[in-house]
Amino acid sequence: MAKILRIHPDNPQDNVINEVVTVLKNGGLIIYPSDTVYALGCNIFDIRAMEKLAQLKKIKLEKAHFSIICNDLSHLSNFTKPIDTAVFRFLKSKIPGPFTFILEANKSLPLAYKGNKTVGIRVPDHAIPQLIVEKLGHPIASTSIKDDDEVLEYSTDPELIAEKYDSFVDLVIDSGYGDNMASTVVDLTSGEPELIRQGKGEL
């Protein structure tokens, strides 16, 4: 049964975030808010947690393309090949924000991402995921929570989300209603921004 933590979206309490971090360190799955939609997340270096996340999404881990949630660009070199100055400046102009950037992956990716030639990097403009990553000491893996409703593509009500995923995750963060528009996906592998999916972020 998932524990529900109510956390203020703008001023998250340190001690409550520490509780979230403990769950992640112990291999748990969490549901957390972002500047776009609510998402599922886990410890990127815990292969069992990554497998559970893949099972929950009903896909094989080796075919999963979970985003990597960072709190700034300092972790970029851990996951991506070197990028040129123009791309770095472009990233800095859009981060933090409602974007997922596809970049060329390097060979130092966590085990669950081995073999991937590209990786999606995201820095949400939201205090809760930023503080989680900061206190955890490294990024988390993430995937958006889709809704079964044909009209609403993404679930927005944290109480309903908690009810639906109660037996599948360890912790649900409730910080009020989420958005129902996902991040804008931009491919930067060629050095020039290529729009893959229009979402909340405007290029």
Side-chain angles (χ1 to χ4, degrees):
M1 193 170 177
K3 181 170 185 177
I4 299 174
L5 287 180
R6 287 178 173 81
I7 304 179
H8 194 281
D10 302 317
N11 299 296
Q13 313 91 307
D14 270 14
N15 61 319
V16 185
I17 295 294
N18 287 338
E19 193 173 336
V20 179
V21 169
T22 299
V23 169
L24 289 167
K25 284 182 176 177
N26 290 334
L29 264 55
I30 67 167
I31 289 174
Y32 71 95
S34 74
D35 54 351
T36 55
V37 300
Y38 270 87
L40 289 152
C42 73
N43 185 343
I44 204 168
F45 293 109
D46 190 317
I47 192 69
R48 288 186 180 176
M50 293 291 290
E51 284 170 347
K52 282 195 289 184
L53 190 60
Q55 285 169 4
L56 196 47
K57 294 294 284 189
K58 296 179 179 162
I59 50 176
K60 291 184 177 179
L61 183 55
E62 57 269 23
K63 293 192 175 178
H65 293 283
F66 298 133
S67 299
I68 294 177
I69 304 296
C70 305
N71 62 336
D72 55 35
L73 293 176
S74 62
H75 294 285
L76 212 57
S77 60
N78 295 338
F79 308 111
T80 69
K81 288 183 178 178
I83 57 176
D84 63 31
T85 306
V87 170
F88 187 75
R89 282 181 182 155
F90 175 77
L91 283 169
K92 280 201 80 171
S93 74
K94 300 294 181 185
I95 283 175
F99 296 91
T100 300
F101 295 103
I102 309 297
L103 293 159
E104 284 189 273
N106 64 24
K107 292 182 179 176
S108 303
L109 286 172
L111 184 59
Y113 289 83
K114 288 296 180 189
N116 286 16
K117 292 185 177 169
T118 61
V119 66
I121 301 289
R122 178 137 154 65
V123 183
D125 188 13
H126 196 293
I128 290 173
Q130 285 192 16
L131 195 54
I132 289 170
V133 170
E134 181 186 322
K135 286 186 169 290
L136 183 62
H138 59 75
I140 61 172
S142 177
T143 179
S144 300
I145 292 178
K146 295 266 189 162
D147 199 292
D148 298 329
D149 190 292
E150 290 181 10
V151 179
L152 276 177
E153 191 178 355
Y154 297 95
S155 303
T156 59
D157 186 335
E159 289 189 11
L160 293 178
I161 292 170
E163 200 176 290
K164 181 178 178 180
Y165 288 92
D166 184 53
S167 57
F168 301 105
V169 302
D170 301 274
L171 188 148
V172 177
I173 296 172
D174 178 350
S175 70
Y177 277 85
D179 208 329
N180 64 351
M181 188 180 289
S183 64
T184 293
V185 180
V186 182
D187 189 334
L188 291 172
T189 55
S190 69
E192 292 291 329
E194 180 188 348
L195 182 65
I196 302 299
R197 179 185 73 194
Q198 181 64 58
K200 189 175 178 182
E202 295 292 334
L203 284 180

